[in-house]
Amino acid sequence: MVAMSKAPPILKGDPAVARAADALAAGGLVGMPTETVYGLAADAASSDAVARVFAAKGRPSFNPLIAHVASMAMAAEEGVLDERAIKLGTAFWPGPLTLVVPVNPNGSSSELARAGLDTIGLRVPAHPVAQALLQAHGGPLAAPSANPSGRLSPTRAEDVAQAFGDELCLVIDGGPSEAGIESTIVAALPDQPLSILRPGAISREKLEAIAGPMSKHYGGEINAPGQLSSHYAPNAAMRLNAREAHGDEVLLGFGPDAPAGARNLSRTGDTIEAAANLYRMLREADAGVAATIAVMPIPSTGLGEAINDRLARAAAPRNGE
Ligand code: AMP
Ligand code: MG
């Protein structure tokens, strides 16, 4: 655990938005007001910035972050919106609706922001400050609620500033969040009925009045092993806690003790750097001829716990897709 560091500045108005946009472009984190709750925003295209969001929140596993976008047009650059998604977006955006749709292969979101899924959660927030920040940034912002994992979601700038230290560049004060509860999440996926993944600020009745009956799939089990097939699982087998690679294995190293030639998640043993590299390096290792990816041990400190959780899922027996 990092020692408690100084609280970030709380700023208001256009200068705050401009400074926040600069910070985001440089890979920094910003407390962002939205009409649901305050978000911990990072450039969704940067796996480094997203890794730092997970580290700041202290989450034990990587769950997918909502990508906030400025408009339906920007949503369509990041995700594939079918007729139903467009209908819902037209009715409820900007506003507290998140749509989970297939990721657009030409989009800019990092795989870490999606926790390796080939779907993406998209929302166009209505809050004028969030809108201004998204316009200034010009791309998607990954922003989970700005609370440490397991704590209440923040509805005031002071809540955010108190909960975090100087891992945040600043918090923009946009007044108290109106809704105070999170967005409703609806999945609009090919060949599946519309499904509510999380109840939230927009009621089922309102959604169904626009798009018809929806099934219910609460409980956030998207990371459960039963749905592993929706995650990126390598074609190669995985061997964890390996000291070295044997015969037909390729080594995914960690730390200074890894052989110099091996791919290394973080030569300095930094779990934030390792998280930022995880999906890309797994994919690269998987693209070669090796039958097995041997992964060196990763300590369960910092983001190590989430990395190990992800690796254990990738190594688990495949449930024949
Ligand atoms: P929060 O940002 O803290 O309000 O929580 C984000 C939640 O959005 C996650 O825990 C997921 O339940 C959901 N979510 C975001 N992206 C996806 C996705 N691609 N597939 C399914 N659920 C998602
Ligand atoms: Mg949350």
Side-chain angles (χ1 to χ4, degrees), residues 37-38 57 59 63 143-154 182 198:
V37 300
Y38 273 70
K57 285 202 55 122
R59 273 180 170 162
N63 56 347
S145 52
N147 53 311
S149 189
R151 304 264 291 277
L152 283 179
S153 292
E182 279 90 349
R198 177 179 77 184

Side-chain angles (χ1 to χ4, degrees), residues 2-16:
V2 192
M4 199 55 197
S5 52
K6 185 158 122 303
I10 299 177
L11 302 172
K12 273 186 184 171
D14 291 346

Side-chain angles (χ1 to χ4, degrees), residues 59 63-64 66 100 117 119-121 143-145 182 185 197-198 222:
R59 273 180 170 162
N63 56 347
I66 295 171
V100 171
L117 297 171
T119 57
I120 184 168
S145 52
E182 279 90 349
I185 304 181
L197 300 184
R198 177 179 77 184
I222 34 163

Side-chain angles (χ1 to χ4, degrees), residues 23-35:
L24 290 165
L29 310 187
V30 164
M32 171 177 79
T34 86
E35 71 276 22

